[in-house]
Amino acid sequence: MSTTTDTQTAYEKLSQKMYGAALLESTAAILGWEQETYMPDGARGHRAGQLSQLAGMIHEMTVQPEVGDLIAACEQDAALNADPISEEAVNIREWRRVYDRATKLPQSLVEEITKTQSLAQGEWAKARKDSDFPRFQPYLEKIMELMRQKAECYGYSTDGEPYDALLEDYEPGATAKEIESIFVPLRERLAPLIAEIAGSANKPTGALHKVVVPKDKQKELSKFVSKSLGFDFETGRLDETTHPFCSGIGPGDTRLTTRFRDDNFPDALSSTMHETGHGLYEQGLRGECFGTPMGKSISLGIHESQSRMWENQVGRSEAFWSWFAPQVKQLLGVAELERFTAADMFRDANMVEPSFIRVESDEATYNLHIMLRFELERALLRGDLKPADLPGVWNERFRAYLGIEVPDDRRGCLQDVHWAFGLVGYFPTYTLGNLYSAQLFEKISEDIPTLQDQFRQGEFAELLTWLREHIHHHGQRYRATDLCKHVTGKELSAEPLLRHLEGKLRPVYGL
Amino acid sequence: MSTTTDTQTAYEKLSQKMYGAALLESTAAILGWEQETYMPDGARGHRAGQLSQLAGMIHEMTVQPEVGDLIAACEQDAALNADPISEEAVNIREWRRVYDRATKLPQSLVEEITKTQSLAQGEWAKARKDSDFPRFQPYLEKIMELMRQKAECYGYSTDGEPYDALLEDYEPGATAKEIESIFVPLRERLAPLIAEIAGSANKPTGALHKVVVPKDKQKELSKFVSKSLGFDFETGRLDETTHPFCSGIGPGDTRLTTRFRDDNFPDALSSTMHETGHGLYEQGLRGECFGTPMGKSISLGIHESQSRMWENQVGRSEAFWSWFAPQVKQLLGVAELERFTAADMFRDANMVEPSFIRVESDEATYNLHIMLRFELERALLRGDLKPADLPGVWNERFRAYLGIEVPDDRRGCLQDVHWAFGLVGYFPTYTLGNLYSAQLFEKISEDIPTLQDQFRQGEFAELLTWLREHIHHHGQRYRATDLCKHVTGKELSAEPLLRHLEGKLRPVYGL
């Protein structure tokens, strides 16, 4: 594909190679998006073949020894690395990190993981359907064993643990210990708050979630809100799917998906705002850096901070609803909505209620679902928790954190596909997203004192400009924790998220 | 990607390599389809990069010397080639043909053609817009010069001509002389028929084309008709686009596109039936042969014969409309349609009227548009016609064939993008499609005497079964002309198409 000449530097050659791999990845991303949106069912088998071919090609392009040699040559170039946060130095640092990880796993282990994942997913799906944990148990054992091997191949710091090695795939630089040190105080104040809320005599009615709104009207509303927040439809789309996601394909191409039910339009709305947040991050990456770490998002935690900020800090605020309530009524044209004031809608958007399924849970209880999974997968990986004991421990801890009794494993430890997929270390990034979101938003509110007034006018451009400048444009210049400190002046902590939740939920629930 | 072992035969290795290239081509096909249907405008630049990377990779995979060596090894295996129409022998024959062609062009020529095409398309678009032929003329000269070089590299039979070498890309095995020998008698009877029709005192009113039908209703009707003809929506889709096309992606995945205007729903309908015909061919190819010539369509002419058969032999027949007219009224629910009888609709679907633009022309005049282009591009390539003289000759011949005066080059020799694209030898395949369609349909009507009665009941399955068995399942087993002879027992001739047109149009126009 590429023609290189002697006059090219190692850095240019490397950039070109990595650009080629990124371009092919963006092709795979289109196929992945299309599979969830428009692909006919009968094409499933052929599509799997197409995606597997691309994955193999991308892998070959990124692990070839010449890439390693070029990275080494770049590392020896003092000028390129003089400033550790220059574009070149950042790209070299990240290319090295990714190359080392990709080449550290023996092919036999990669193949065994792929094979086991594939089997485990099928068994998990059947086990969940029948709430039959013993069926899944041997696969969970095998997955955890393979994850331990993977962690050993990657390696981790002497004062760290295997979990850190896996975390690195999703949240580079984070450690289990650090996460624990933030999650524990969060849990210790969040669990009692949720208990207080459960006992409140002044709960929102939830009536808004029961209004029937035709799907095409919900679709219009979703596009309207996404556009209002700043999503550019010239370089993006919003489509319908079963499980909403956002896919940043490449420069000028970002795809959002959301879902619609006949009832529960607030659910479609928060899905849309959530994915719009991801999409705004993708659209905010510098297109000219495509194919380099400087043009990529930092981590899953930071990505999630963007989606959560638009979904929660913006989309569940009193100021947002004071602007949005009349828009909803006008756009949807559903008579039943007329009886809801902006305050009613705001209250209903902030319902908090312990429930069994993570993906259906609310802004506050969600974090307890995550902590539970973080603690259990960490213990499973260490071998401190035996897979056979998972259901019992899950249910017991669920009772302790959320105060409700898990009725069966389908609504308990079998609900998520992550472990069957071999995704260990992924879960904590969801709550890290909430934490980063809250901490960044406190800083933004200081920097832009009129922010809430702007929301009341349906103006979100200044918030987006701030995020572009302080987060999006940096690509992977900083690690997530460093970016947080650089921008907010403080280490990540549980305090801002607790202030956000308590500050909003106590008045809503009259506590 | 592929792991080969010593125990694999050359044929297996070759099949595996070719499968890989076909798989990647099918990925490019998804990107191409998506570009015309859902891609946001802002993604155009990035998409061009993705497609260009894939094209380069596919080219590399197909021209690598190992492929040539494997083909040579297969050719030396007597057992594989014992039966020249066995799957293996056919695949080896066609792989050889494609490999030789792909490796015969020097890289410098390929690059110059690509560059010139890209420039020529831009200039052509501007020239057409302003009806400014001199602007396009130097590019046409350059294109024809490059096409001559291309033809010389490919080579052609000693009693043939350079045009044959180019034709081979679209209609393997066909020659300009053969085509001429069929086109001339067709023209000699068609031109007078069209003149008679123009003078008829009993023309269809064309009122059906003016009924306003909402787009979503037209879309429903399109899906209904496509499904009725036998298109499988489990393994295919129908979407909206500017220029309708069909893309056979791979097993289980065939995409149709059509277009809708508020008026002229019969136009959407014939577009849909046309593309459905292409789609039925693609869905009829044997999925287990994907990646081999036995799983591919024969030629553009045969592909077009399938689209034309469903569009014209079926979709413009009296029997079809006697079934379809009540369906149209019921599905569209437009009051204005009530006054049309099935006979009215059938007559309006068969309007014939000389016009300037090929893609808007009717079933009969269309062929004269094609012949004109075939004669002129053949003369341009030979050097018998100078590009500077093209507009004059075009207009004069247009008057002779169609009896109307071309008002400007925009509606004359600048209307089609083909030459700017470097597509010389492509045009005749359109009329070859009509010829094959008519000749095959005469044979089908003999084999299935109740065919028209079936159409009257909205039954098309027996026709489709016939096409599956005699055309689709053969892949590239036969050359187009051989298939025609094998199936109909006769060489391709103008007679069946003339019988079809005269037999239908004379009664419609009271001649």
Side-chain angles (χ1 to χ4, degrees):
Chain A
M1 291 307 303
S2 59
T3 51
T4 57
T5 70
D6 289 349
T7 58
Q8 278 191 308
T9 64
Y11 185 80
E12 283 165 358
K13 280 186 203 169
L14 183 58
S15 302
Q16 210 169 50
K17 278 188 175 287
M18 294 294 96
Y19 177 82
L23 196 57
L24 204 56
E25 269 174 13
S26 76
T27 290
I30 284 287
L31 265 59
W33 168 86
E34 213 266 346
Q35 176 168 279
E36 303 303 325
T37 49
Y38 295 106
M39 188 187 78
D41 281 345
R44 201 154 290 280
H46 187 71
R47 181 59 51 90
Q50 292 174 309
L51 285 169
S52 148
Q53 181 187 43
L54 292 175
M57 285 176 161
I58 293 160
H59 181 73
E60 270 185 23
M61 287 164 92
T62 46
V63 300
Q64 52 182 251
E66 200 194 339
V67 169
D69 296 344
L70 289 168
I71 294 172
C74 290
E75 285 169 338
Q76 272 149 35
D77 185 326
L80 283 179
N81 299 284
D83 174 4
I85 59 163
S86 71
E87 295 204 5
E88 293 81 0
V90 167
N91 288 338
I92 295 165
R93 178 193 79 205
E94 292 299 318
W95 277 328
R96 161 62 70 198
R97 194 179 73 79
V98 170
Y99 179 80
D100 282 354
R101 286 177 73 78
T103 51
K104 269 180 179 169
L105 300 185
Q107 190 55 30
S108 58
L109 180 59
V110 172
E111 280 167 18
E112 196 168 358
I113 291 175
T114 306
K115 208 181 79 188
T116 307
Q117 279 169 357
S118 171
L119 288 172
Q121 277 170 60
E123 292 303 308
W124 166 81
K126 289 173 200 154
R128 182 174 77 155
K129 190 167 161 283
D130 301 336
S131 211
D132 176 10
F133 181 77
R135 176 171 199 147
F136 181 55
Q137 187 187 314
Y139 295 91
L140 182 60
E141 282 164 3
K142 179 82 182 161
I143 289 272
M144 286 297 162
E145 173 51 34
L146 291 169
M147 290 301 116
R148 275 187 285 271
Q149 289 180 34
K150 193 176 172 183
E152 292 308 322
C153 291
Y154 281 154
Y156 43 89
S157 148
T158 45
D159 58 346
E161 58 184 83
Y163 193 86
D164 299 347
L166 303 180
L167 204 45
E168 184 78 7
D169 271 340
Y170 316 111
E171 201 63 24
T175 66
K177 244 182 242 161
E178 276 170 23
I179 291 175
E180 185 185 23
S181 74
I182 306 167
F183 278 18
V184 170
L186 177 62
R187 194 191 68 221
E188 286 172 354
R189 274 173 55 194
L190 198 51
L193 174 66
I194 288 164
E196 270 192 84
I197 284 172
S200 157
N202 183 21
K203 291 181 184 168
T205 65
L208 191 66
H209 296 257
K210 293 182 189 105
V211 177
V212 173
V213 177
K215 276 191 186 185
D216 58 337
K217 283 288 171 194
Q218 291 192 48
K219 202 172 257 180
E220 263 180 61
L221 185 71
S222 279
K223 287 201 175 161
F224 169 76
V225 78
S226 189
K227 201 172 171 173
S228 300
L229 303 186
F231 186 77
D232 177 8
F233 280 91
E234 270 296 297
T235 61
R237 292 185 53 86
L238 173 67
D239 294 277
E240 206 176 333
T241 191
T242 316
H243 303 289
F245 64 94
C246 162
S247 180
I249 309 288
D253 201 352
T254 300
R255 312 289 174 110
L256 311 179
T257 65
T258 190
R259 65 175 167 202
F260 304 104
R261 303 176 197 162
D262 282 337
D263 60 345
N264 211 344
F265 80 90
D267 173 72
L269 196 64
S270 40
S271 272
T272 302
M273 293 182 79
H274 181 96
E275 301 309 333
T276 298
H278 284 303
L280 291 171
Y281 188 6
E282 291 293 325
Q283 288 188 332
L285 294 169
R286 288 162 59 204
E288 70 273 23
C289 296
F290 175 79
T292 75
M294 280 298 295
K296 275 185 97 161
S297 57
I298 303 179
S299 71
L300 292 187
I302 296 295
H303 226 306
E304 195 72 5
S305 79
Q306 302 303 291
S307 56
R308 291 299 185 181
M309 190 179 295
W310 292 98
E311 178 192 358
N312 292 333
Q313 269 76 13
V314 177
R316 291 196 158 87
S317 69
E318 190 270 324
F320 173 81
W321 282 98
S322 95
W323 164 72
F324 195 55
Q327 312 288 334
V328 168
K329 292 180 189 177
Q330 198 192 326
L331 263 165
L332 298 184
V334 171
E336 212 184 328
L337 286 169
E338 291 304 325
R339 67 185 170 91
F340 291 85
T341 64
D344 294 336
M345 291 193 186
F346 162 67
R347 282 173 60 81
D348 269 0
N350 280 287
M351 290 198 12
V352 169
E353 194 166 28
S355 63
F356 301 109
I357 304 295
R358 174 183 61 86
V359 295
E360 294 168 3
S361 67
D362 57 73
E363 188 184 357
T365 60
Y366 190 89
N367 299 296
L368 296 176
H369 285 262
I370 294 305
M371 285 174 204
L372 172 82
R373 284 158 180 76
F374 166 66
E375 290 161 16
L376 298 184
E377 69 180 9
R378 194 179 173 201
L380 282 166
L381 191 75
R382 269 201 305 239
D384 294 350
L385 171 63
K386 298 275 161 282
D389 299 329
L390 177 66
V393 177
W394 178 292
N395 297 350
E396 177 242 313
R397 209 163 292 192
F398 203 88
R399 191 186 313 122
Y401 292 175
L402 283 147
I404 54 176
E405 201 66 46
V406 174
D408 49 35
D409 293 338
R410 189 170 58 81
R411 283 172 282 187
C413 66
L414 283 174
Q415 68 184 267
D416 289 308
V417 74
H418 296 59
W419 293 334
F421 245 134
L423 298 175
V424 174
Y426 191 112
F427 278 124
T429 66
Y430 293 121
T431 283
L432 285 173
N434 289 331
L435 292 160
Y436 281 125
S437 171
Q439 188 154 334
L440 289 169
F441 198 74
E442 279 198 350
K443 170 65 176 156
I444 297 168
S445 301
E446 279 171 40
D447 287 358
I448 313 173
T450 59
L451 199 60
Q452 299 296 324
D453 301 329
Q454 294 179 22
F455 292 175
R456 272 174 219 285
Q457 306 299 317
E459 286 165 18
F460 307 96
E462 202 175 339
L463 170 57
L464 182 56
T465 302
W466 192 100
L467 293 171
R468 291 265 189 267
E469 183 187 337
H470 294 89
I471 314 283
H472 307 173
H473 287 176
H474 286 304
Q476 298 188 341
R477 176 168 280 145
Y478 305 102
R479 289 268 187 273
T481 46
D482 297 338
L483 177 76
C484 177
K485 202 171 168 185
H486 177 78
V487 170
T488 69
K490 290 173 203 147
E491 302 282 353
L492 181 66
S493 91
E495 291 306 315
L497 179 57
L498 284 164
R499 275 194 289 269
H500 163 73
L501 290 173
E502 292 186 330
K504 183 169 64 170
L505 296 176
R506 287 198 175 276
V508 165
Y509 280 85
L511 303 173
Chain B
M1 291 306 303
S2 59
T3 53
T4 59
T5 70
D6 289 348
T7 58
Q8 276 190 310
T9 65
Y11 185 79
E12 282 164 358
K13 280 186 203 167
L14 183 57
S15 302
Q16 209 169 51
K17 280 189 173 287
M18 295 295 96
Y19 178 81
L23 196 56
L24 204 56
E25 270 174 12
S26 75
T27 290
I30 284 288
L31 265 60
W33 168 85
E34 213 266 347
Q35 176 169 279
E36 303 302 325
T37 49
Y38 295 105
M39 187 187 79
D41 282 346
R44 202 154 289 279
H46 187 71
R47 180 60 51 91
Q50 292 175 309
L51 284 169
S52 149
Q53 180 187 43
L54 292 175
M57 285 176 160
I58 294 161
H59 181 75
E60 270 184 24
M61 287 164 93
T62 47
V63 301
Q64 53 182 250
E66 200 194 341
V67 169
D69 296 343
L70 289 169
I71 294 173
C74 290
E75 285 168 336
Q76 272 149 36
D77 185 326
L80 283 179
N81 298 284
D83 174 3
I85 59 163
S86 70
E87 295 204 5
E88 293 81 1
V90 168
N91 288 338
I92 295 165
R93 178 193 79 205
E94 292 299 318
W95 278 328
R96 161 62 69 197
R97 193 179 73 79
V98 170
Y99 179 79
D100 282 353
R101 287 178 72 78
T103 51
K104 267 179 180 169
L105 299 186
Q107 191 55 28
S108 58
L109 180 59
V110 173
E111 280 167 18
E112 196 167 358
I113 291 175
T114 306
K115 208 182 81 189
T116 307
Q117 279 168 357
S118 170
L119 288 171
Q121 279 170 59
E123 291 304 309
W124 165 80
K126 289 175 200 152
R128 182 173 78 154
K129 190 167 161 281
D130 300 337
S131 210
D132 176 10
F133 181 78
R135 176 172 200 147
F136 180 55
Q137 186 188 315
Y139 296 91
L140 182 59
E141 282 163 2
K142 180 82 182 159
I143 290 272
M144 287 296 162
E145 173 51 34
L146 291 169
M147 290 301 116
R148 274 187 286 272
Q149 288 180 36
K150 191 176 173 183
E152 293 307 323
C153 292
Y154 281 154
Y156 44 89
S157 150
T158 46
D159 59 345
E161 58 184 83
Y163 192 85
D164 299 347
L166 303 181
L167 205 45
E168 184 78 6
D169 271 339
Y170 316 112
E171 201 64 24
T175 67
K177 244 181 242 163
E178 276 169 22
I179 291 174
E180 185 186 23
S181 74
I182 306 167
F183 278 18
V184 169
L186 177 61
R187 193 191 68 221
E188 286 173 354
R189 276 172 55 194
L190 198 51
L193 174 66
I194 288 164
E196 271 193 81
I197 284 171
S200 156
N202 184 22
K203 292 181 184 168
T205 65
L208 191 67
H209 297 257
K210 294 182 190 106
V211 177
V212 173
V213 177
K215 277 192 186 184
D216 58 337
K217 284 288 171 193
Q218 292 191 46
K219 203 172 256 180
E220 264 181 59
L221 185 70
S222 280
K223 287 201 173 160
F224 169 76
V225 77
S226 189
K227 201 172 170 170
S228 300
L229 302 186
F231 186 78
D232 176 9
F233 280 91
E234 270 295 298
T235 61
R237 293 186 52 87
L238 173 66
D239 295 276
E240 207 176 334
T241 189
T242 316
H243 303 289
F245 64 94
C246 162
S247 180
I249 309 290
D253 201 352
T254 300
R255 313 289 175 110
L256 310 179
T257 66
T258 191
R259 63 175 168 203
F260 305 104
R261 304 178 197 159
D262 282 336
D263 60 346
N264 211 346
F265 80 90
D267 174 73
L269 196 64
S270 41
S271 271
T272 302
M273 293 182 79
H274 180 97
E275 301 309 334
T276 298
H278 283 304
L280 290 171
Y281 189 6
E282 292 293 324
Q283 288 189 332
L285 295 169
R286 288 162 59 205
E288 69 274 24
C289 298
F290 175 78
T292 76
M294 280 298 296
K296 277 186 93 161
S297 57
I298 302 178
S299 70
L300 293 188
I302 296 295
H303 226 305
E304 194 73 4
S305 80
Q306 301 303 292
S307 56
R308 291 301 186 180
M309 190 179 295
W310 292 98
E311 178 191 358
N312 292 333
Q313 269 77 12
V314 177
R316 292 195 159 87
S317 69
E318 190 270 325
F320 173 81
W321 282 97
S322 94
W323 164 71
F324 195 55
Q327 312 289 333
V328 167
K329 291 180 189 177
Q330 199 193 324
L331 263 164
L332 298 184
V334 170
E336 211 184 330
L337 285 169
E338 292 304 325
R339 66 185 170 91
F340 290 85
T341 64
D344 293 337
M345 291 193 187
F346 163 66
R347 283 173 59 80
D348 270 0
N350 280 287
M351 290 198 14
V352 169
E353 194 166 29
S355 63
F356 301 111
I357 303 295
R358 175 183 62 86
V359 295
E360 293 168 4
S361 68
D362 55 74
E363 187 184 357
T365 59
Y366 190 88
N367 299 295
L368 296 176
H369 284 264
I370 294 305
M371 286 174 205
L372 171 83
R373 284 157 180 75
F374 166 65
E375 291 161 14
L376 298 185
E377 70 180 9
R378 195 179 171 201
L380 283 165
L381 191 75
R382 271 202 302 241
D384 294 350
L385 171 63
K386 297 273 161 284
D389 298 329
L390 176 67
V393 177
W394 178 292
N395 297 350
E396 178 242 314
R397 210 163 291 194
F398 204 87
R399 192 186 312 120
Y401 292 175
L402 283 146
I404 52 175
E405 202 66 47
V406 174
D408 49 36
D409 294 338
R410 189 169 59 81
R411 282 171 284 186
C413 67
L414 284 174
Q415 68 183 268
D416 290 309
V417 73
H418 296 58
W419 293 334
F421 244 135
L423 298 175
V424 175
Y426 191 111
F427 279 124
T429 67
Y430 293 121
T431 282
L432 286 173
N434 288 332
L435 292 160
Y436 281 124
S437 170
Q439 187 153 334
L440 290 169
F441 198 75
E442 280 198 351
K443 170 65 176 156
I444 297 167
S445 301
E446 280 170 40
D447 288 358
I448 313 173
T450 59
L451 198 61
Q452 298 296 322
D453 300 331
Q454 294 179 23
F455 292 175
R456 272 174 218 284
Q457 306 299 317
E459 287 165 17
F460 307 96
E462 203 176 339
L463 170 57
L464 182 56
T465 303
W466 192 101
L467 293 171
R468 291 265 189 267
E469 183 187 336
H470 294 88
I471 314 283
H472 307 172
H473 287 175
H474 286 305
Q476 298 188 340
R477 175 167 281 144
Y478 304 102
R479 288 267 187 276
T481 47
D482 297 338
L483 178 76
C484 175
K485 203 171 168 185
H486 177 77
V487 170
T488 70
K490 292 175 201 144
E491 302 283 354
L492 181 66
S493 92
E495 290 306 314
L497 180 56
L498 284 164
R499 276 194 289 270
H500 162 73
L501 291 173
E502 292 186 329
K504 183 171 63 172
L505 296 175
R506 286 198 174 276
V508 165
Y509 280 85
L511 302 173

